[in-house]
Amino acid sequence: KVKKVSVISGGSFAQFQRQFVPKLTEGNLPNLFLFPTCGSAFYRHNGARWENVYTEVLSPEEKARIFGAFEAMFREVGFKKPETLYGVLIEDRETQITFAAHGSSAPLPIKSAWDPDRKKRLKMIGVLARLIPEFEIRTGGTSSIDVTRKGIDKAYGIYQMEKHLGVPRTAMAFVGDDVGEGGNDHPVIATGISVVAVTGPEQTKQIIKDMLG
């Protein structure tokens, strides 16, 4: 039986193209679906190339408010921009604005060491929630904060999968490593989907292999 696989992440489609798509050397790509920036965009393969189905692009005014809120929050919490920055500190991903403490391309050990218990980011999110309450604000990855339009998170992505792929949530399984309270995978629990919590890539790979048979 053919099974459909969706990948949803806080990363941008450009990141998917750099980090994920080049590794797909075989398989039926039309049965793989990409939901970057927490489901605020959707791409499917038509047999020849990836095509965009929808994109919830933030307006210039929305982006300006978010960028301004980050700068105000930095001053309030006393965040000092690192001397060495790997990539962009606050990245415009069109549908999502993402802050990464050491830059969007920081090595994993540096990202993982900055805020392992989320306390720094939760304090930042508390300030941002007061400054821009009209947006969805959550932790992402190991050192980042993602901002999208209100209501757009990974749960939104699950509902879009159900709508566009014709697969009921009762027939889906979500595999994620951050499903606990405050995690960027946590919103999917409210959809009622079956959730499989994992702790790393090797375990994830094995579970997906088992699911696909």
Side-chain angles (χ1 to χ4, degrees):
K1 182 180 178 180
V2 174
K3 296 179 180 178
K4 297 177 179 179
V5 176
S6 295
V7 181
I8 185 168
S9 166
S12 65
F13 182 61
Q15 286 178 297
F16 274 64
Q17 290 177 303
R18 289 195 307 269
Q19 301 171 4
F20 178 63
V21 172
K23 300 181 186 297
L24 304 175
T25 56
E26 58 182 291
N28 189 0
L29 291 181
N31 286 323
L32 178 68
F33 308 93
L34 307 181
F35 289 81
T37 50
C38 295
S40 57
F42 170 35
Y43 291 81
R44 67 193 312 161
H45 203 275
N46 63 11
R49 61 182 176 81
W50 293 99
E51 59 182 16
N52 178 249
V53 178
Y54 71 78
T55 304
E56 302 279 357
V57 178
L58 293 165
S59 70
E61 294 76 19
E62 288 173 314
K63 292 177 182 180
R65 277 191 53 73
I66 296 168
F67 271 86
F70 268 111
E71 293 297 339
M73 177 272 289
F74 291 158
R75 292 191 294 271
E76 185 168 332
V77 303
F79 173 75
K80 303 296 183 183
K81 298 176 184 179
E83 292 183 7
T84 301
L85 191 62
Y86 302 87
V88 182
L89 184 69
I90 307 174
E91 184 180 7
D92 178 358
R93 296 181 176 176
E94 295 299 325
T95 57
Q96 173 180 290
I97 305 299
T98 296
F99 155 77
H102 286 274
S104 54
S105 302
L108 183 58
I110 292 177
K111 291 193 292 186
S112 300
W114 182 71
D115 186 31
D117 58 5
R118 289 198 182 93
K119 288 183 179 179
K120 293 177 183 176
R121 284 176 292 163
L122 290 177
K123 182 178 180 180
M124 290 177 164
I125 287 172
V127 176
L128 289 171
R130 188 181 75 245
L131 296 172
I132 46 172
E134 68 272 33
F135 293 98
E136 200 74 45
I137 309 163
R138 62 195 165 273
T139 60
T142 54
S143 65
S144 58
I145 294 173
D146 297 328
V147 182
T148 56
R149 285 187 179 137
K150 201 72 171 178
I152 295 183
D153 53 21
K154 289 187 179 179
Y156 175 85
I158 296 298
Y159 291 122
Q160 292 301 312
M161 291 175 199
E162 186 174 47
K163 173 184 175 181
H164 290 280
L165 307 185
V167 179
R169 279 168 285 146
T170 53
M172 296 182 189
F174 178 89
V175 181
D177 66 352
D178 202 13
V179 299
E181 186 72 38
N184 66 356
D185 293 331
H186 184 72
V188 305
I189 294 175
T191 69
I193 191 174
S194 174
V195 174
V196 181
V198 293
T199 57
E202 290 306 314
Q203 183 188 14
T204 303
K205 186 162 56 176
Q206 187 58 54
I207 287 173
I208 292 174
K209 281 183 177 179
D210 292 343
M211 286 181 172
L212 296 179

